[in-house]
């Protein structure tokens, strides 16, 4: 079993190789550089260093969003093409879940991974570890950061926030959630591609042809079109 | 016995997800196009984000269909070639990254292709190219005269300074309240009317092979607007005929002058607007009198965006030794002259 995991859904770019119960290698950068230029060379370098060839791969696991539309598409396109052409299973994992998995394992409470989504909004969800298994408490969503914080403030358990965009929202979260709010250290904000591989390890493959990113949001033009259509049909 | 060459081409620069396989540079072994036009119609034009989303949905399906059609496996493919640009960046990225994944998975050479070089090489699927030649490229995004002294060598001698011819067609169609894409509607309507309305022809400065269609487009809009203000109605078929007459006269006259000046053996027509009946018949009429120049116009399916043309151009680029590494990126403003040397 040799799993290749790919994450280009946000600024962090990650690749890992996981075999049985061992992480062979992983590569992460957190740079505002072009994923399209760097991801395939990163995969090639990691596989070469680990002395693995494409034919050795038995599964592809990809971060399916939310995140940058273009970024998610680059990773998903490569993952779909590799899985299809090598005839191996493809598993998609939430980009937020990877972050939660990387930080929450030994935290007694909820984990709220987040990515900034501009205009005061965040992509986030709520996760927790129970008996070593990560479970979803609140589905991934697009929400105003202050509304999300107000909702979490009502909860009884402590909440761990994680993500490279935290500095944009930390003061508001602290103010609203109060002493129940905990913040991950900077070494934990990059989604770990080995966590991505692990999350997909025991999952069944999905249909490769119909696999699509989880954008969460409709394309702007489509949302406007639906809105206009709704208005027309309501008279 | 010489081994057959098979090139797999991928094209996703706009709103068609296309994959094709070309045998020995000229023979179509597979040609699959998944069009998104129905999805974009409701928006009155191509929406880049939606085009990119559709490409992700279609990409592997279309690759599989092409291999099935050709009854080939990757073991028999000599190179993967892909449109590097120009086009919509988000759309191009899907084809480029799928191509890189395939090249990596099977250790096959990766060859980048310019979209317009592809349009020109669609002609090689019809007949062998004879150099030197001139290509008239007219599409929704491009209006260019390209001179070729040999395979894989492109010299742009004229191009549009503002709107592409196809763009002007779409905008005029919108003024006449016709659905997107408007080009075919104008062409059809033009044949029902007569060019009675005086519209400008942009010849630009003496000797220039460049084009300009924005003035003509504005003149059409003004004509409609002024007539409305005076409470008059203009017959849309006459306006369409007049507009088409202006576009075609400029395209054909400039092309004819370039053909004479450069002494070419062939005139190739390329791009979606090459499907225009008015343009076809005007070119046929002009060049039937010039026995020394062979006029080639590909069938409609090879004029609009497709991957057979990309693989046909890719075959030549592959033989020229052009290769891309796994860091190949989409290049929305790619220059066609980049691979000349
Ligand atoms: Zn085109």
């Amino acid at each position: 079993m040799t799993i290749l995991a790919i994450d280009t859904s946000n600024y962090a770019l990650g690749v890992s190789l996981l075999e049985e119960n061992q992480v062979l290698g992983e590569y992460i950068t957190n740079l505002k550089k072009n994923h399209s230029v760097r991801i395939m060379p990163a995969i090639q370098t990691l596989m070469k260093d680990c002395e693995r060839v494409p034919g050795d791969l038995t599964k592809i696991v990809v971060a399916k969003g939310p995140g940058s539309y273009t970024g998610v598409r680059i990773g998903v396109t490569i993952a779909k093409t590799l899985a299809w052409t090598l005839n191996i299973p493809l598993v998609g994992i939430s980009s937020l879940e990877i972050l939660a998995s990387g930080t929450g394992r030994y935290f007694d409470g909820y984990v709220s991974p987040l990515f900034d989504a501009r205009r005061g909004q965040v992509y986030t969800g709520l996760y927790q570890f129970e008996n070593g298994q990560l479970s979803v408490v609140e589905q991934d969503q697009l929400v105003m950061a202050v509304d999300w914080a107000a909702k979490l403030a009502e909860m009884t358990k402590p909440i761990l926030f994680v993500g490279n965009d935290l500095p944009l929202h930390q003061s508001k979260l602290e103010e609203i959630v109060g002493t129940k709010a905990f913040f991950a250290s900077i070494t934990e904000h990059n989604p770990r591609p080995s966590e991505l591989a692990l999350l997909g390890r025991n999952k069944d493959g999905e249909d490769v042809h119909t696999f699509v990113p989880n954008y969460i949001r409709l394309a702007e033009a489509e949302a406007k079109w639906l809105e206009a259509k709704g208005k027309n049909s309501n008279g | 016995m010489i081994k057959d060459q098979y090139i797999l081409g991928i094209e996703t620069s706009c709103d068609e997800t296309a994959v094709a396989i070309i045998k020995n540079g000229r023979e179509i072994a597979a040609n699959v196009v998944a069009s998104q036009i129905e999805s974009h119609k409701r928006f009155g034009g191509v929406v880049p984000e939606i085009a990119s989303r559709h490409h992700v949905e279609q990409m592997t399906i279309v690759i599989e269909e092409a291999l099935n059609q050709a009854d080939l496996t990757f073991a028999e493919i000599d190179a993967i070639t892909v449109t590097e640009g120009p086009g919509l960046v988000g759309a191009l990225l899907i084809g480029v990254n799928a191509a890189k994944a395939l090249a990596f998975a099977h250790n096959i050479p990766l060859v980048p292709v310019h979209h317009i070089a592809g349009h020109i090489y669609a002609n090689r699927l019809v007949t062998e190219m004879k150099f030197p030649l001139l290509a008239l490229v007219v599409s929704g995004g491009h209006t260019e005269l390209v001179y070729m002294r040999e395979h894989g060598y492109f010299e742009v001698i004229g191009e549009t300074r503002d709107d592409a011819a196809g763009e002007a067609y779409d905008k005029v169609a919108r003024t006449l309240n016709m659905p997107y894409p408007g080009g075919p509607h104008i062409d059809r309507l033009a044949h029902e009317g007569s060019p009675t309305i005086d519209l400008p022809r942009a010849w630009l400065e003496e000797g220039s092979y460049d084009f300009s269609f924005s003035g003509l487009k504005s003149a059409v809009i003004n004509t409609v607007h002024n007539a409305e203000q005076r409470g008059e109605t203009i017959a849309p078929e006459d306006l369409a005929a007049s507009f088409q007459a202006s576009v075609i006269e400029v395209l054909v006259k400039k092309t004819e002058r370039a053909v004479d000046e450069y002494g070419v053996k062939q005139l190739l027509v390329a791009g979606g607007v090459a499907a225009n009946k008015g343009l076809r018949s005007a070119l046929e009429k002009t060049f039937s009198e010039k026995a020394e120049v062979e006029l080639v116009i590909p069938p409609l399916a090879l004029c609009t965006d497709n991957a057979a043309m990309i693989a046909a151009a890719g075959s030549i680029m592959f033989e020229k030794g052009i290769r891309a590494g796994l860091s190949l990126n989409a290049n929305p403003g790619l220059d066609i002259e980049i691979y000349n040397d």
Side-chain angles (χ1 to χ4, degrees):
Chain A
M1 181 197 74
T2 305
I3 298 173
L4 172 69
I6 302 166
D7 183 358
T8 58
S9 53
N10 289 279
Y11 284 126
L13 174 152
V15 188
S16 73
L17 277 173
L18 184 144
E19 270 181 8
E20 273 72 47
N21 287 317
Q22 196 186 358
V23 176
L24 281 187
E26 62 185 314
Y27 176 86
I28 314 178
T29 59
N30 178 32
L31 303 166
K32 291 186 182 179
K33 282 190 178 176
N34 192 314
H35 289 333
S36 175
V37 172
R38 297 173 60 243
I39 184 66
M40 281 308 303
I43 293 170
Q44 186 181 40
T45 302
L46 182 66
M47 289 187 62
K48 193 166 171 254
D49 289 350
C50 297
E51 294 175 356
R52 295 296 182 276
V53 294
D56 295 330
L57 298 175
T58 58
K59 186 184 260 185
I60 307 287
V61 184
V62 67
K64 66 175 181 184
S68 136
Y69 295 162
T70 300
V72 174
R73 273 195 289 270
I74 289 168
V76 166
T77 299
I78 289 169
K80 283 181 73 163
T81 309
L82 285 176
W84 170 75
T85 201
L86 296 169
N87 197 20
I88 55 175
L90 170 67
V91 174
I93 299 289
S94 153
S95 300
L96 291 164
E97 191 177 350
I98 310 163
L99 264 183
S101 180
T103 33
R105 194 165 278 114
Y106 307 107
F107 179 75
D108 189 15
Y110 296 137
V111 188
S112 171
L114 62 85
F115 305 128
D116 181 59
R118 297 193 191 138
R119 294 189 287 265
Q121 303 172 103
V122 289
Y123 290 118
T124 188
L126 203 61
Y127 294 84
Q128 77 172 322
F129 271 92
E130 280 174 314
N131 308 319
Q133 285 296 314
L134 188 63
S135 63
V136 180
V137 181
E138 291 281 342
Q139 292 292 339
D140 291 355
Q141 56 195 277
L142 176 70
V143 61
M144 291 299 293
V146 289
D147 295 343
W148 180 245
K151 182 174 181 163
L152 298 184
E154 302 294 313
M155 298 187 169
T156 49
K157 290 189 186 180
I159 292 146
L160 176 63
F161 293 97
V162 57
N164 278 312
D165 297 330
L166 264 187
L168 295 169
H169 302 281
Q170 187 160 343
S171 62
K172 271 270 171 285
L173 293 169
E174 256 172 340
E175 186 189 315
I176 300 170
V177 182
T179 53
K180 289 201 302 287
F182 292 81
F183 297 90
S185 90
I186 58 162
T187 54
E188 296 169 307
H189 290 324
N190 289 328
R192 291 272 305 277
S194 54
E195 291 286 355
L196 172 61
L198 185 63
L199 286 166
R201 184 178 67 178
N202 298 324
K203 290 215 167 94
D204 290 338
E206 302 171 45
D207 182 71
V208 175
H209 284 326
T210 54
F211 184 93
V212 285
N214 178 20
Y215 299 105
I216 293 197
R217 259 197 278 215
L218 286 173
E220 204 180 329
E222 180 133 43
K224 282 185 179 154
W225 180 80
L226 285 171
E227 199 190 344
K229 206 178 129 196
K231 269 186 196 150
N232 288 341
S233 62
N234 291 338
Chain B
M1 210 181 86
I2 301 164
K3 192 196 154 293
D4 287 326
Q5 180 212 61
Y6 289 102
I7 306 288
L8 183 138
I10 299 180
E11 152 66 37
T12 62
S13 68
C14 190
D15 61 343
E16 324 272 4
T17 317
V19 179
I21 298 168
I22 297 298
K23 181 180 175 182
N24 300 328
R26 297 204 44 215
E27 214 177 297
I28 297 174
N31 188 17
V32 184
V33 180
S35 175
Q36 307 173 1
I37 197 152
E38 287 305 320
S39 174
H40 294 285
K41 260 185 184 165
R42 61 194 155 136
F43 306 115
V46 176
V47 178
E49 173 61 24
I50 289 174
S52 306
R53 291 186 179 198
H54 283 307
H55 286 309
V56 178
E57 290 160 18
Q58 293 297 322
M59 195 73 257
T60 56
I61 298 171
V62 177
I63 300 169
E64 183 172 273
E65 207 176 315
L67 283 167
N68 289 345
Q69 229 177 59
D71 195 20
L72 291 170
T73 65
F74 281 103
E76 293 148 290
I77 302 291
D78 295 283
I80 306 286
T81 139
V82 64
T83 307
E84 178 186 359
L88 302 169
V89 66
L92 288 164
L93 277 172
I94 306 308
V96 165
N97 281 288
K100 291 197 290 185
L102 292 174
F104 172 69
H106 303 290
N107 200 17
I108 307 174
L110 179 66
V111 180
V113 167
H114 190 282
H115 183 77
I116 297 304
H119 273 302
I120 295 170
Y121 270 87
N123 285 278
R124 195 164 181 245
L125 300 168
V126 178
T127 186
E128 187 52 273
M129 291 157 93
K130 297 183 191 83
F131 300 100
L133 64 78
L134 187 75
L136 169 65
V137 185
V138 264
S139 72
H142 300 271
T143 308
E144 287 174 20
L145 279 168
V146 181
Y147 173 75
M148 292 180 72
R149 65 174 190 217
E150 64 192 31
H151 272 307
Y153 181 92
F154 308 92
E155 193 187 328
V156 178
I157 63 165
E159 63 195 320
T160 185
R161 293 182 184 171
D162 38 63
D163 293 350
E167 224 176 323
Y169 267 89
D170 287 343
K171 284 177 184 166
V172 166
R174 214 172 298 160
T175 306
L176 295 176
N177 294 316
M178 290 171 154
Y180 170 87
H185 295 288
I186 298 279
D187 189 20
R188 190 177 31 76
L189 202 59
H191 287 273
E192 294 165 12
S194 34
T196 51
I197 300 154
D198 195 27
L199 292 170
R201 273 112 176 103
W203 299 110
L204 305 174
E205 56 284 2
E206 177 88 32
S208 172
Y209 290 118
D210 280 352
F211 302 97
S212 166
F213 294 105
S214 72
L216 172 61
K217 174 197 70 192
S218 305
V220 170
I221 294 169
N222 287 340
T223 303
V224 172
H225 187 74
N226 293 343
E228 271 170 9
Q229 294 222 317
R230 287 196 301 267
E232 299 167 8
T233 46
I234 291 181
E237 59 272 22
D238 289 344
L239 191 61
S242 306
F243 166 75
Q244 173 135 316
S246 169
V247 172
I248 290 174
E249 188 185 333
V250 173
L251 286 175
V252 173
K253 285 251 170 77
K254 291 209 176 207
T255 303
E256 187 184 9
R257 191 156 49 78
V259 161
D260 291 343
E261 189 189 323
Y262 283 81
V264 297
K265 296 194 176 112
Q266 258 181 347
L267 171 63
L268 310 182
V269 187
V273 182
N276 184 290
K277 287 197 198 75
L279 178 62
R280 277 179 186 244
S281 61
L283 286 168
E284 276 158 9
K285 191 165 161 267
T286 304
F287 289 95
S288 65
E289 293 152 18
K290 291 180 188 281
E292 68 283 8
V293 188
E294 182 192 3
L295 171 69
V296 187
I297 308 178
L300 176 59
L302 293 175
C303 289
T304 51
D305 286 353
N306 64 85
M309 68 186 203
I310 300 302
S315 169
I316 292 294
M317 301 316 248
F318 176 62
E319 280 167 6
K320 267 184 87 174
I322 307 281
R323 299 288 182 275
L326 291 178
S327 60
L328 178 69
N329 197 12
N331 188 341
L334 187 67
D335 182 351
I336 195 170
E337 296 173 354
I338 187 172
Y339 296 117
N340 278 357
D341 306 306

